[in-house]
């Protein structure tokens, strides 16, 4: 892009491409909007919890006023449930906000930010937006983060690396890092380099993969733990997430955030959703069953998929670099929206968000049909 306005590093940014909205696909392919199935943005197939809907309706009567800039009630709740002081918590306009605040708080033009190949698309965006340099470290052969290589990249940066993004599980690969690996990494990273541990899908981890990230926040003053209400809590449209870090880093994030970065409805809904353990449990079980449903079908179709710890599965739909886009187009024509991941360096794969049983079924049938014709 060339324009006489703006900074070079801003002009160089490739804008984020999200899952395609249902209404847009309906228009483009002449389909009935109500019949379209969207498995493209890792949203909760249950929608938002009723408890959050009720809380928002009540909060709606106060929308003439600014939100609580400090999110007192929500922070108090998170603090008591998670066992960290409230002043270790930063609320964000989506956890995306926390990722960007972290980058802006610790890095600037000329600095480096380290993350893995095939990692979440927001990491390079947050890096480029401040004119810092992305150091993208090759993934392991199984598409996961190579933490020893990422550590090496930090050490070789001769002090330029200021921040590392680690996603666990990662999106779009669903890959998972064990607690020992992460802990060894945190112990080895220089203490003046910040580490964001992005746990947007934490609530979907099966019991045997759970670990205590809060204990690490207490131990490592350079760590920021990031969590989201968009996925398991079903509040993607409201934009709310939070970061947990010791006061030194939290204070920095607080200085650069917008004063009212989290709106009143989002705060009210998050308070309700966080306490709605029944909704969380239902979503967890639905996800676990949907994962088995999808992966069973992939095995039957002889398709390679990556074991996923999130609410989505990455599946390889062909052996040429046009495969992802080609199969995606055929799915769109049948009213099914999934996510091509060529922009993540995975052009032979598609990412499927786990939906309701009947949505998964419709996707599986469409994919079978398409592959049988190919
Ligand atoms: C979805 C996602 C997020 C953030 O989502 P928000 O809606 O901004 O909270 C963060 N990290 C990863 C890896 C994600 O997939």
């Amino acid at each position: 892009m060339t324009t006489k306005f703006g900074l070079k590093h801003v002009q160089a940014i490739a804008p984020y491409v999200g899952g395609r909205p249902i209404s847009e696909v309906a228009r483009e392919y002449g389909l009935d909007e109500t019949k379209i199935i969207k498995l493209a943005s890792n949203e909760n197939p249950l929608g938002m919890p009723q408890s959050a809907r009720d809380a928002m309706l009540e909060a709606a009567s106060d929308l003439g006023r600014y939100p609580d800039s400090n999110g007192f009630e929500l922070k108090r709740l998170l603090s008591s449930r998670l066992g960290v002081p409230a002043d270790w918590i930063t609320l964000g306009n989506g956890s995306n906000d926390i990722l960007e605040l972290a980058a802006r708080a610790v890095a600037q033009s000329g600095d480096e930010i380290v993350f893995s190949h095939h990692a979440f698309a927001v990491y390079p965006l947050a890096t480029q937006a401040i004119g810092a340099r992305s150091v993208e470290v090759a993934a392991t052969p199984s598409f996961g983060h190579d933490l020893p290589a990422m550590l090496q990249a930090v050490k070789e940066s001769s002090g330029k690396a200021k921040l590392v993004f680690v996603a666990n599980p990662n999106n779009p690969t669903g890959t998972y890092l064990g607690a020992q690996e992460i802990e060894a990494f945190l112990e080895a990273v220089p203490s003046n380099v910040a580490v964001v541990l992005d746990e947007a899908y934490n609530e979907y981890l099966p019991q045997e993969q759970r670990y205590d990230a809060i204990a690490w926040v207490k131990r490592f003053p350079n760590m920021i733990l990031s969590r989201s209400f968009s996925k398991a809590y079903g509040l993607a449209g409201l934009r709310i997430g939070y970061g947990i870090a010791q006061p030194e880093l939290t204070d920095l994030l607080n200085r650069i955030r917008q004063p009212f970065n989290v709106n009143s409805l989002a705060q009210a809904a998050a308070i309700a959703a966080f306490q709605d353990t029944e909704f969380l449990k239902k979503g967890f079980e639905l996800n676990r069953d949907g994962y088995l449903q999808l992966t069973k079908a992939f095995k039957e179709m002889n398709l390679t998929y990556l074991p996923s710890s999130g609410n989505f599965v990455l599946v390889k739909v062909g052996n040429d670099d046009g495969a992802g886009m080609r199969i995606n187009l055929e799915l769109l024509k049948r009213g099914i929206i999934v996510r091509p991941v060529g922009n993540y360096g995975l052009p032979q794969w598609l990412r499927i968000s786990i939906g309701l049983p009947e949505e998964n079924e419709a996707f599986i049938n469409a994919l079978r049909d398409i592959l049988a014709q190919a």
Side-chain angles (χ1 to χ4, degrees), residues 16 41-42 92-99 119-123 167-172 198-201 226-231 235-237 239-242 312 344 351:
Y16 180 80
S41 299
N42 299 346
N93 185 29
S95 62
N96 195 99
D97 197 17
I98 303 295
L99 307 178
F120 188 40
V122 164
Y123 307 156
N168 199 40
N170 180 49
N171 170 22
D198 178 351
E199 292 193 331
Y201 302 95
S226 165
R227 290 193 179 153
S228 177
F229 282 99
S230 298
K231 313 287 167 44
L235 302 179
R239 315 304 304 127
I240 179 162
Y242 59 96
F312 53 90
Y344 285 95
R351 191 195 68 194

Side-chain angles (χ1 to χ4, degrees), residues 39-121:
L39 303 173
S41 299
N42 299 346
E43 293 146 343
N44 195 318
L46 293 173
M48 69 187 293
Q50 183 63 42
S51 56
R53 192 184 298 260
D54 295 342
M56 277 202 317
L57 281 178
E58 202 178 313
S61 58
D62 261 341
L63 284 177
R65 299 198 183 279
Y66 280 103
D68 176 358
S69 169
N70 289 315
F72 179 80
E73 287 295 342
L74 177 56
K75 282 193 198 172
R76 185 166 68 170
L77 174 66
L78 293 170
S79 162
S80 75
R81 293 293 169 88
L82 301 173
V84 290
D87 62 2
W88 289 30
I89 301 171
T90 307
L91 301 182
N93 185 29
S95 62
N96 195 99
D97 197 17
I98 303 295
L99 307 178
E100 284 192 16
L101 290 174
R104 284 169 50 212
V106 303
Q108 62 180 337
S109 176
D111 290 337
E112 293 179 355
I113 294 182
V114 177
F115 47 85
S116 174
H117 193 209
H118 313 310
F120 188 40

